[in-house]
Amino acid sequence: MLKTETPSTRHPDLDLYDTPDLVNAFVDDQFEAVKAVQAAAPRLAEAVERALPRIKAGGRLLYAGAGTSGRLGVLDSVELYPTFSWPRERAVAILAGGQSAMFVAVEGAEDDTAQGSADLAALQPTANDVVLALAASGGTPYVLGAIAAARAAGALTIGFANNPDAPVTAQAEIGITLDTGPEVISGSTRLKAGSAQKMALNTFSSALMVRLNKVYGNLMVDLKPTNAKLVRRALALTVRASGASEEAAKAVLAQCDHHVKVAVVALKNGVGVDEARAQLEAADGSIRRALKAA
């Protein structure tokens, strides 16, 4: 039996717990998710390093999964645009059962290997693409089909699973095992297995974006200010990163469509926004290098 399916020996009488103990059982078990991601950190670092040159060459992040794992892939893909201004067309997720499966479980869709292969192939993967294949069990046929199609196209494949020695991690070029063990509710991988996958995806994509110069210090200077909250955040980030007054930061942000990176370089280098953009482009989008080159 898969470890994720094995009944937990820690909580055999879960249904008899009073509410405080019941809540604590679920909360405490989440620490195992953190430990699993910590153990996988070296493989995550390898995945970032292997993915970086492909993404720099114009590749995409392609996510493939089913059920909770697939939905977590969708979540990671859609959050990259507002957080890092990552183009939506360069972070694409496929989900067993199609888009509607994001909201309503489509039972049986995950068992279709051919559909996983066809859905991934429909994205026309290239050798510069990076495919993130997600399956808590590690043996989901839909995901294995996606891996096969990705490898046939020469794309880099990174497999995430919550069971050791899983087909998903074995068949991908880089296998990342998040060994979370049995769940508090047997087999419910939306619990700590899902938490570990979310952490691992956040870690991978965020580290990749840092390496792509989307962050200055620890500030998210390439966000897309698509609402009032994010406009305020862009202003606060510009003030903090540049040391300029709020009034000066507002004026420059208004000239560059609230692009924090451009505003910071313009303010610190004392140049106009067009020159700031040119300096950033020459520095491969790195604020640090743009400031040193001035």
Side-chain angles (χ1 to χ4, degrees), residues 86-193:
W86 189 249
R88 292 187 179 96
E89 65 274 13
R90 294 185 65 190
V92 182
I94 59 170
L95 181 62
Q99 290 186 356
S100 63
M102 188 69 189
F103 306 100
V104 179
V106 181
E107 303 300 336
E110 67 176 50
D111 298 327
D112 195 335
T113 306
Q115 190 62 55
S117 182
D119 287 353
L120 198 288
L123 299 178
Q124 298 182 315
T126 72
N128 284 331
D129 290 333
V130 176
V131 176
L132 307 173
L134 305 153
S137 69
T140 306
Y142 180 90
V143 177
L144 295 173
I147 290 174
R151 296 203 67 166
L156 175 66
T157 51
I158 305 171
F160 296 78
N162 293 91
N163 285 294
D165 304 317
V168 162
T169 52
Q171 293 181 25
E173 289 177 65
I174 301 174
I176 298 176
T177 300
L178 305 168
D179 188 0
T180 44
E183 297 285 359
V184 173
I185 297 177
S186 304
S188 182
T189 51
R190 60 182 286 272
L191 298 174
K192 68 172 178 281

Side-chain angles (χ1 to χ4, degrees), residues 34-83:
V34 176
K35 292 176 184 177
V37 179
Q38 286 176 326
R43 296 293 277 172
L44 283 166
E46 178 189 353
V48 172
E49 291 295 329
R50 293 275 302 276
L52 185 60
R54 296 178 188 241
I55 298 301
K56 280 187 172 181
R60 299 170 294 171
L61 294 171
L62 306 178
Y63 301 73
T68 297
S69 300
R71 294 183 191 99
L72 289 170
V74 173
L75 183 62
D76 199 68
S77 72
V78 301
E79 289 179 342
L80 294 180
Y81 175 75
T83 308

Side-chain angles (χ1 to χ4, degrees), residues 168-256:
V168 162
T169 52
Q171 293 181 25
E173 289 177 65
I174 301 174
I176 298 176
T177 300
L178 305 168
D179 188 0
T180 44
E183 297 285 359
V184 173
I185 297 177
S186 304
S188 182
T189 51
R190 60 182 286 272
L191 298 174
K192 68 172 178 281
S195 297
Q197 288 188 344
K198 179 70 166 64
M199 282 187 280
L201 286 172
N202 276 348
T203 300
F204 171 81
S205 60
S206 297
L208 185 62
M209 292 298 136
V210 172
R211 288 284 170 261
L212 292 169
N213 300 315
K214 300 287 188 178
V215 173
Y216 175 51
N218 65 346
L219 305 179
M220 49 184 289
V221 291
D222 216 2
L223 79 162
K224 192 66 76 172
T226 52
N227 58 40
K229 176 191 71 177
L230 294 178
V231 168
R232 292 193 297 271
R233 184 178 298 169
L235 175 59
L237 288 166
T238 302
V239 170
R240 179 179 290 272
S242 68
S245 67
E246 189 171 299
E247 183 179 4
K250 273 185 179 179
V252 174
L253 283 167
Q255 297 171 36
C256 61

